[in-house]
Amino acid sequence: MMQWNKLLTRQRLGKDKPEKAEDARTSFQRDYDRLVFSSPFRRLKDKTQVFSLAKNDYIRTRLIHSLEVSCVGRSLGTIVGYKIKERHELDDFTASDFGDIVAAACLAHDIGNPPFGHAGEDAIRSGFASWYETVKEKLTLRKQEKADLDLFEGNAQGFRILTRLEMQARTGGMQLTCPTLATFTKYPRESLISTDILNDYSGKSAKKHGFFQAEKELFATVADTVGLIRRSPDVAWWSRHPLAFLVEAADDICYHIVDLEDGYRMGYISFKKAKKLLNEIAKRPDIKQKANTKEEQIKFLRAIAINNLVQEVATIFLEREQELLAGIFDGDLISLTSYAETLNCIQSQTRNKVFNHSEVIGIQVAGYEVLGHLFTEFVNSTLYSTKKGKLVKLMLPKEFCPAESESSYRKILKITDYISGMTDSYATNLFQELKGISLR
């Protein structure tokens, strides 16, 4: 059984001792501030949420989405924090500590995502697979290392950014607190786990992986520090930190509700349909008395819907607290709300009308071409010496240029660090330069 006193420790990754509680700026507020002022967080301003390079200036980028999710997460964490502090007599912590941990983890939840949204992740996987087929006879990768790249994951890249790439001269990178890092990690397992070990495990947290082999020991340190339950002695696989379920819920709430609003603002979903779906959660038939325009009505309903979902998710979390602490509960919280059917309808509507719209699909297809080409060119330039490769290698920023002594796995990771860290615009412009489509 996990214990809240340990789950909330102020121990920072890379530090010897936990920080002392302070009245001014707490350890978890410092985590939030470090994230806001980090370079990869800033680059989220030009990374796709749903609409890449959108001309409508109302549409959200990854940066705005992350800020919105962090606000919802702070509310969720603070609400449950009041009750949990009271239940367990946690005199050394405040309800705000819960909220600040969840808010910081939410703020970082997409920090490792590559350009062009989730299609960017698959573009890197496909780029690696295509490239690997041409070089596998002369390349040495361990099975676990190959799995990291076959299944390239923005969540694992995010953990790598937080613990190694940012402020990389220090052990632990940004040296965030272990509770924030554990709460950030929605998938606390390595990429390669045999089916014998998984044994048809259907829990949500095992669907993907949350760290690469390069950061496996760093996550083990985080897990041990906060007292996560290890699911297997044979592989790196733990239960989630309970607060990670609130991060997932905050993200789910925002992308269901806000993607619907964005779909309406882009003209893909009718006002009538958006209003009906939102009102099934907001339950405000008097909406016309509260807002003058259609846009204001949708905004108003969006805000009420999010609040209603927050209140119900918090209640469910508190009801399931003992199962969460025991590592037994491993589902998504919003599916247990009374609004689950409506949320499924919203997801279906946004998938059919928005995600599958030709303009959105067109950008995703372009993303495969852009990121696949960049991956091939830069990996070849670091592993194989050709005339063109030597020139391409000169285009790599110094921090992403691997040393000759590094393993093939580490060299490839540095290229994925570079590509996944690009903004949509930067990746597009660099692709055009390499293709000779445009010249500076």
Side-chain angles (χ1 to χ4, degrees):
M1 184 74 78
M2 291 178 276
Q3 302 295 323
W4 283 113
N5 276 311
K6 197 168 185 180
L7 289 167
L8 302 173
T9 177
R10 296 180 180 87
Q11 177 71 50
R12 292 191 177 280
L13 182 64
K15 293 286 190 178
D16 295 329
K17 297 178 181 179
E19 291 183 343
K20 294 181 180 179
E22 295 185 12
D23 293 329
R25 199 164 59 115
T26 69
S27 300
F28 309 123
Q29 288 169 347
R30 287 192 176 94
D31 285 348
Y32 192 93
D33 294 349
R34 289 183 187 189
L35 288 162
V36 167
F37 284 94
S38 68
S39 297
F41 182 74
R42 180 180 297 183
R43 286 196 292 272
L44 294 177
K45 69 181 173 60
D46 186 17
K47 286 198 176 188
T48 298
Q49 173 60 17
V50 176
F51 306 97
S52 183
L53 310 172
K55 296 179 175 63
N56 184 329
D57 61 4
Y58 184 82
I59 301 306
R60 291 154 176 83
T61 63
R62 284 279 174 191
L63 180 69
I64 300 303
H65 170 70
S66 297
L67 289 166
E68 290 174 341
V69 174
S70 74
C71 290
V72 174
R74 176 179 285 111
S75 296
L76 282 167
T78 305
I79 291 168
V80 305
Y82 276 110
K83 287 292 185 183
I84 291 172
K85 175 178 165 56
E86 183 180 287
R87 285 179 183 177
H88 298 273
E89 298 180 353
L90 300 174
D91 295 335
D92 292 336
F93 300 98
T94 67
S96 294
D97 287 333
F98 287 80
D100 290 338
I101 291 169
V102 178
C106 286
L107 195 70
H109 84 282
D110 274 348
I111 206 165
N113 278 27
F116 306 109
H118 288 294
E121 291 174 297
D122 199 44
I124 292 176
R125 294 174 200 136
S126 299
F128 170 75
S130 299
W131 171 81
Y132 184 75
E133 278 301 308
T134 67
V135 301
K136 60 184 178 182
E137 301 301 329
K138 51 184 177 179
L139 188 70
T140 302
L141 287 176
R142 294 189 300 116
K143 287 190 299 182
Q144 294 90 340
E145 294 171 343
K146 183 174 180 294
D148 282 353
L149 299 161
D150 280 331
L151 304 169
F152 176 83
E153 179 57 51
N155 290 284
Q157 185 66 27
F159 187 80
R160 179 170 166 82
I161 287 169
L162 301 179
T163 62
R164 189 179 299 279
L165 301 184
E166 274 294 284
M167 305 177 185
Q168 56 186 272
R170 308 190 310 187
T171 301
M174 294 178 72
Q175 294 187 339
L176 302 179
T177 62
C178 290
T180 292
L181 289 168
T183 300
F184 164 85
T185 309
K186 294 188 292 185
Y187 307 102
R189 51 156 284 196
E190 60 184 317
S191 59
L192 185 63
I193 299 181
S194 71
T195 52
D196 291 341
I197 294 175
L198 280 172
N199 197 26
D200 297 324
Y201 182 79
S202 59
K204 190 76 180 291
S205 67
K207 297 297 184 185
K208 302 177 183 180
H209 63 282
F211 47 86
F212 298 126
Q213 291 298 302
E215 286 72 50
K216 183 165 71 173
E217 293 307 315
L218 287 172
F219 186 79
T221 298
V222 170
D224 290 345
T225 301
V226 300
L228 301 187
I229 297 169
R230 188 149 194 165
R231 293 200 181 275
S232 170
D234 302 316
V235 294
W237 179 23
W238 289 264
S239 62
R240 276 181 178 175
H241 190 294
L243 296 181
F245 290 92
L246 296 183
V247 173
E248 181 177 63
D251 190 23
D252 288 345
I253 289 169
C254 285
Y255 82 70
H256 277 89
I257 303 302
V258 178
D259 284 357
L260 179 65
E261 182 188 8
D262 279 357
Y264 160 68
R265 293 298 291 253
M266 288 292 287
Y268 299 155
I269 296 174
S270 70
F271 169 73
K272 182 179 179 181
K273 175 61 75 171
K275 179 181 177 180
K276 177 181 180 296
L277 288 170
L278 288 174
N279 224 345
E280 287 179 12
I281 301 173
K283 302 185 186 304
R284 291 300 297 266
D286 62 337
I287 183 63
K288 286 186 178 180
Q289 300 171 20
K290 300 291 183 181
N292 295 324
T293 66
K294 291 180 178 180
E295 287 76 14
E296 288 299 320
Q297 287 183 45
I298 294 298
K299 278 195 219 177
F300 189 86
L301 290 172
R302 175 252 296 160
I304 301 299
I306 288 175
N307 180 67
N308 288 352
L309 284 165
V310 164
Q311 297 300 324
E312 192 160 335
V313 165
T315 298
I316 293 167
F317 182 94
L318 291 167
E319 290 172 349
R320 299 293 186 111
E321 184 198 355
Q322 290 305 304
E323 294 173 68
L324 289 161
L325 290 172
I328 296 170
F329 179 84
D330 196 6
D332 56 279
L333 295 171
I334 68 164
S335 68
L336 301 178
T337 68
S338 60
Y339 307 111
E341 187 176 342
T342 299
L343 291 169
N344 287 336
C345 290
I346 289 174
Q347 188 173 35
S348 176
Q349 189 73 198
T350 53
R351 183 186 298 115
N352 295 331
K353 298 288 188 179
V354 180
F355 299 149
N356 291 338
H357 192 279
S358 59
E359 291 181 16
V360 176
I361 294 295
I363 292 295
Q364 292 176 351
V365 171
Y368 278 90
E369 181 70 18
V370 170
L371 300 188
H373 184 74
L374 293 179
F375 180 87
T376 300
E377 290 288 348
F378 284 113
V379 168
N380 281 336
S381 77
T382 60
L383 292 177
Y384 308 112
S385 182
T386 64
K387 287 184 178 180
K388 180 183 177 183
K390 289 177 181 178
L391 292 174
V392 172
K393 191 174 181 179
L394 291 174
M395 298 177 71
L396 273 173
K398 185 178 179 180
E399 63 268 30
F400 299 109
C401 195
E404 289 298 323
S405 59
E406 291 187 82
S407 68
S408 296
Y409 170 67
R410 299 277 178 170
K411 288 178 179 178
I412 296 170
L413 276 187
K414 283 200 172 179
I415 299 306
T416 56
D417 291 340
Y418 180 41
I419 294 173
S420 65
M422 294 177 182
T423 63
D424 293 10
S425 299
Y426 184 90
T428 302
N429 292 337
L430 186 57
F431 168 78
Q432 291 174 341
E433 286 181 29
L434 287 173
K435 281 283 194 178
I437 299 170
S438 68
L439 298 173
R440 290 182 181 177

